[in-house]
Amino acid sequence: MSRRRIGFWYRFAAVICKPPLVVLIKRDWRGMEHIPAEGGFITAVNHNSHLDPFAYAHYQYNTGRVPRFLAKSGLFKKGFVGAAMRGTGQIPVYRESTDALSAFRAAIDAVERGECVAFYPEGTLTRDPNGWPMTGKTGAARVALQTKCPVIPVAQWGANELLPPYAKKPNLFPRKTHRVLAGPPVDLSRFYDKEMTPEVLKEATEVIMAAITRQLEEIRGEKAPETPYDPRRERIEQRRRTQAQTQGRQVEGQSK
């Protein structure tokens, strides 16, 4: 399978975005040899800053295999942003779909056409207090098991130092370094002959997230927590704590 040409819109976006990125951040980019030269594949990337999609796209643009990100379908509808999203070949996600696999049909089609589809498996900015990858959602695993395409784990660090999660202003000085490390394809072959059950998808996702985390450990030179941060588990624990505090206040009030 051949690879898609970069095209006018992606080159136009690069002309606009690359100069400020070059000025704002230094680069320590490794692992480009793991990005396939031909054929469809997935990159699975950690997410720790609203700036990192641009910084990471810069990295992969320089490999010659531009990423097709999944984005809310509403962004594709109107104006310049919609034209740019369509022109650069980004992939709309129709969140109203009740069929999880159908929601990623366009991503599957893109991989089968020889595209690179970039997934943020966490689905949002990491909530881990120290910036480590959280538990992942199963979208990347679904597409990978459906297409049996290579899954390249990619870790990045540094855009979050320039623009921390949920910060309103960038931290410009001193100049930050964007570090990226792509690894060899994740081995998911043991899942290929299994029924795509929630349990199988969860296990395959854990394998992908573990590979991303290992890459980030190498970048940061430290070990990640044994158990990834789980937003769902944290919400349950928070509700329990809130209920316990409410019950404690009620008991205290009754005793007075």
Side-chain angles (χ1 to χ4, degrees):
M1 179 69 68
S2 62
R3 63 181 182 178
R4 178 173 172 172
R5 296 176 60 187
I6 291 176
F8 165 78
W9 274 101
Y10 234 121
R11 295 188 187 280
F12 180 66
V15 168
I16 294 173
C17 296
K18 284 177 69 173
L21 289 171
V22 169
V23 170
L24 290 172
I25 51 179
K26 297 179 286 186
R27 295 169 300 286
D28 178 8
W29 290 349
R30 292 175 285 156
M32 287 186 176
E33 68 275 11
H34 295 301
I35 301 297
E38 303 289 342
F41 65 101
I42 287 170
T43 55
V45 192
N46 67 309
H47 192 18
N48 54 28
S49 170
H50 287 301
L51 182 62
D52 68 45
F54 300 97
Y56 172 68
H58 186 190
Y59 166 88
Q60 200 175 315
Y61 181 91
N62 280 23
T63 72
R65 300 300 311 271
V66 294
R68 312 296 172 181
F69 289 98
L70 278 73
K72 296 177 183 179
S73 59
L75 294 174
F76 292 74
K77 294 180 179 179
K78 295 181 179 179
F80 177 80
V81 172
M85 296 292 284
R86 295 190 301 271
T88 55
Q90 307 313 311
I91 298 172
V93 175
Y94 299 94
R95 297 191 176 187
E96 64 273 14
S97 172
T98 57
D99 182 342
L101 191 56
S102 293
F104 293 101
R105 184 69 247 177
I108 292 170
D109 290 344
V111 169
E112 291 177 342
R113 291 195 308 269
E115 302 277 7
C116 165
V117 178
F119 274 89
Y120 282 121
E122 297 159 281
T124 187
L125 292 173
T126 182
R127 301 293 197 275
D128 182 272
N130 295 308
W132 293 103
M134 303 187 295
T135 54
K137 300 183 183 300
T138 60
R142 283 180 180 275
V143 176
L145 298 186
Q146 179 77 12
T147 62
K148 297 182 175 59
C149 71
V151 178
I152 309 301
V154 183
Q156 58 178 337
W157 189 259
N160 55 303
E161 296 176 332
L162 175 60
L163 185 66
Y166 309 109
K168 295 182 179 180
K169 295 181 179 179
N171 181 18
L172 298 177
F173 302 105
R175 190 176 177 216
K176 309 302 185 292
T177 299
H178 183 230
R179 295 178 171 85
V180 182
L181 178 60
V186 181
D187 184 6
L188 298 176
S189 59
R190 66 182 180 274
F191 302 108
Y192 288 166
D193 296 327
K194 295 182 178 181
E195 182 182 356
M196 208 180 298
T197 62
E199 292 75 20
V200 166
L201 290 170
K202 181 176 182 293
E203 186 177 351
T205 299
E206 289 172 350
V207 172
I208 293 171
M209 295 308 301
I212 298 171
T213 301
R214 286 194 297 272
Q215 301 298 113
L216 189 55
E217 286 178 332
E218 184 170 341
I219 288 176
R220 295 176 60 174
E222 54 186 305
K223 294 294 292 183
E226 288 291 331
T227 302
Y229 183 91
D230 185 340
R232 181 175 178 274
R233 184 175 60 239
E234 181 61 25
R235 286 193 297 269
I236 292 172
E237 291 298 321
Q238 182 60 46
R239 283 197 295 267
R240 288 175 179 170
R241 289 192 292 268
T242 300
Q243 290 172 356
Q245 291 170 357
T246 301
Q247 291 171 356
R249 287 194 294 267
Q250 290 173 346
V251 170
E252 182 179 352
Q254 291 170 358
S255 65
K256 291 182 177 179

